Amino acid sequence: MDTMRTIRVTGKGQIKVKPDMTRITVTLVGSYKDYGETLRKSAQDTDQLKNILSAFGFEQSDLKTLSFDVDIENESYREKGVYKWRLVGYKFRHIMKVEFESDHERLGNILYALANCPLNPEFRVSYTVKDPEKAKNELLGKAVKDAREKAVVLTGAAGVMLKDMQSIDYSWGKVDLEVHAMSRAAAAGGSVMALAECDDSYDLNIEPDDLEVSDTVTVVWEIG
């Protein structure tokens, strides 16, 4: 019985996508002596953040948690010439995100409120796309097309015929459809109510660059 001859070719797809969604990643931190108090304060701060965002048209459920950690905080001290460690409290770190269709005025209002609120949060602005699956599918289509074009060239040069496709191998890895625009560490506090009343804002003119993404697929064809 004849053994099937095959050719394996890796194709690469590349596309540019215009970002149409804005993502704000907010980090809240706090340190307290008691573990229970740490959890309570974390919950209170998160509720306060949700209330701040509600002034800009967000629902409570729009704020999504990316990670939440509570770590032990220790300090060193010296006793009879020997250095030791003792527990001084607990520190929470809560990282969340909220997304909305890109709007410079809305973004400026939100960032001003975050920068001047009593929570003193860290925040980061990035841009992404509303329909990531559409972009990923286009990317894969281009990668398969590239693989076929290469296979045609290779088999033509070798004097063999490209026959039926046997398999497609795709890694299903994560395609990064996010571009970072700016970040800011914890800022001074302020009056959230006053900001809402006088409609203060940051005047932002940020135009994110197109997202350039690529991915590969490996295709196997029978040749004869």
Side-chain angles (χ1 to χ4, degrees):
M1 180 182 238
D2 292 337
T3 302
M4 180 187 296
R5 296 190 299 166
T6 61
I7 183 173
R8 178 186 299 268
V9 181
T10 297
K12 183 175 183 180
Q14 292 179 299
I15 60 171
K16 287 187 177 182
V17 185
K18 185 174 181 59
D20 55 7
M21 294 289 290
T22 299
R23 176 181 297 162
I24 303 177
T25 304
V26 184
T27 302
L28 298 178
V29 296
S31 298
Y32 302 92
K33 290 184 177 180
D34 180 71
Y35 183 79
E37 182 185 12
T38 304
L39 294 180
R40 285 193 298 272
K41 288 296 295 182
S42 171
Q44 290 173 5
D45 288 355
T46 301
D47 286 341
Q48 189 173 349
L49 177 60
K50 290 180 178 180
N51 290 335
I52 292 170
L53 293 174
S54 68
F56 304 102
F58 293 104
E59 300 293 334
Q60 297 269 317
S61 59
D62 289 336
L63 185 66
K64 307 294 186 182
T65 293
L66 297 176
S67 67
F68 178 77
D69 301 291
V70 178
D71 296 319
I72 294 174
E73 289 197 311
N74 294 312
E75 68 175 8
S76 63
Y77 67 98
R78 189 173 182 177
E79 183 178 279
K80 297 180 180 180
V82 178
Y83 282 99
K84 298 182 179 180
W85 293 91
R86 61 189 168 199
L87 176 70
V88 294
Y90 301 87
K91 180 178 182 179
F92 77 83
R93 184 176 182 85
H94 193 181
I95 304 177
M96 296 156 281
K97 72 172 182 178
V98 66
E99 296 178 343
F100 56 96
E101 291 190 19
S102 294
D103 180 330
H104 289 325
E105 182 178 357
R106 190 181 187 190
L107 176 60
N109 291 334
I110 296 169
L111 294 188
Y112 190 92
L114 291 176
N116 292 275
C117 76
L119 294 174
N120 201 25
E122 299 176 6
F123 54 83
R124 184 185 71 200
V125 178
S126 58
Y127 293 90
T128 184
V129 295
K130 188 175 184 178
D131 190 355
E133 290 305 316
K134 179 181 178 181
K136 292 176 184 177
N137 290 339
E138 181 183 354
L139 190 62
L140 289 178
K142 287 183 176 294
V144 172
K145 182 179 178 181
D146 180 60
R148 181 170 183 83
E149 289 174 352
K150 290 176 179 176
V152 169
V153 171
L154 291 171
T155 53
V160 296
M161 182 182 299
L162 189 66
K163 295 185 175 181
D164 293 337
M165 183 184 298
Q166 300 300 310
S167 67
I168 299 179
D169 182 18
Y170 173 54
S171 65
W172 298 101
K174 182 179 178 181
V175 177
D176 187 13
L177 290 170
E178 182 179 11
V179 57
H180 301 294
M182 62 171 288
S183 61
R184 180 167 180 172
S191 172
V192 177
M193 185 62 68
L195 293 176
E197 291 174 353
C198 64
D199 196 28
D200 285 321
S201 174
Y202 286 133
D203 183 13
L204 298 175
N205 187 18
I206 300 174
E207 188 63 37
D209 195 6
D210 290 348
L211 291 161
E212 295 187 26
V213 290
S214 63
D215 207 351
T216 60
V217 296
T218 299
V219 187
V220 176
W221 281 275
E222 180 186 358
I223 58 174

